[in-house]
Amino acid sequence: MRAVLQRVSKASVTINDTIKSSIGPGLLILLGIENIDNQEDIDWLCGKIAKLRIFNDKNGIMNLSVNEVNGEVLVVSQFTLHASTNRGNRPSYISAAKPHFAIPMYKKFIFELEEEINKPVQTGEFGAMMEVGLVNDGPVTIIIDSKNRE
């Protein structure tokens, strides 16, 4: 499971010219689910995200978590995070999970993240063509892969 976290001052998802979700200060999370992901990946990644200290404290030091700043979270599914570009110029998405596996995992991830941060998580729409708008705060962008824990 791979996530790109962006600390944002605001972010939104628009589908067919309609805003589906929007947040103020917090995290925009682009989430890629792989064929080999499991509940352990969800548990580890949600715990890591909830506790990651990437928000500024009163001294301007990145020392606070999304929970500690009462930040909002928006999660958007993005299978292209598992693109393989090793051969040729057309990316392969063979390791990205197919919808029958990815959708339940996506829903479990959202549920668990809500439990970790003790508030609702905003979402995109799995499989939809989405326009994601954001104002990256910092900029701060972190990539986390549940298969690279060491």
Side-chain angles (χ1 to χ4, degrees), residues 11-13 19-24 27-29 71-77 106 109-110 113-114 117 119-125:
S12 64
V13 172
I19 295 175
K20 181 188 185 306
S21 299
S22 64
I23 62 169
L27 290 175
L28 169 64
I29 301 170
E72 297 180 276
V73 176
L74 172 58
V75 177
V76 177
S77 62
Y106 176 71
F109 176 87
I110 291 163
L113 189 57
E114 287 176 334
I117 66 170
K119 65 173 25 176
V121 168
Q122 300 299 309
T123 66
E125 183 178 313

Side-chain angles (χ1 to χ4, degrees), residues 66-118:
V66 68
N67 280 343
E68 293 170 309
V69 299
N70 199 29
E72 297 180 276
V73 176
L74 172 58
V75 177
V76 177
S77 62
Q78 190 168 353
F79 75 93
T80 59
L81 291 178
H82 287 288
S84 172
T85 57
N86 295 340
R87 298 180 67 192
N89 294 317
R90 183 170 184 243
S92 169
Y93 304 104
I94 198 159
S95 68
K98 302 291 183 257
H100 71 275
F101 179 76
I103 292 171
M105 293 291 284
Y106 176 71
K107 289 178 179 178
K108 287 177 186 178
F109 176 87
I110 291 163
F111 176 81
E112 183 136 342
L113 189 57
E114 287 176 334
E115 295 288 308
E116 287 280 348
I117 66 170
N118 297 310

Side-chain angles (χ1 to χ4, degrees), residues 3-4 11 15-16 24 26 29 37 41 44 46 56 60 72 82 86 88-89 93 103 128 135-136 147:
V4 175
I15 302 170
N16 296 324
I29 301 170
D37 290 331
D41 294 294
W44 181 84
C46 287
N56 294 345
E72 297 180 276
H82 287 288
N86 295 340
N89 294 317
Y93 304 104
I103 292 171
V135 177
N136 193 316
K147 302 301 189 226

Side-chain angles (χ1 to χ4, degrees), residues 1 38-48 109 112 116:
M1 195 165 276
N38 57 42
Q39 186 63 46
E40 186 178 316
D41 294 294
I42 292 171
D43 296 344
W44 181 84
L45 189 55
C46 287
K48 179 63 91 175
F109 176 87
E112 183 136 342
E116 287 280 348

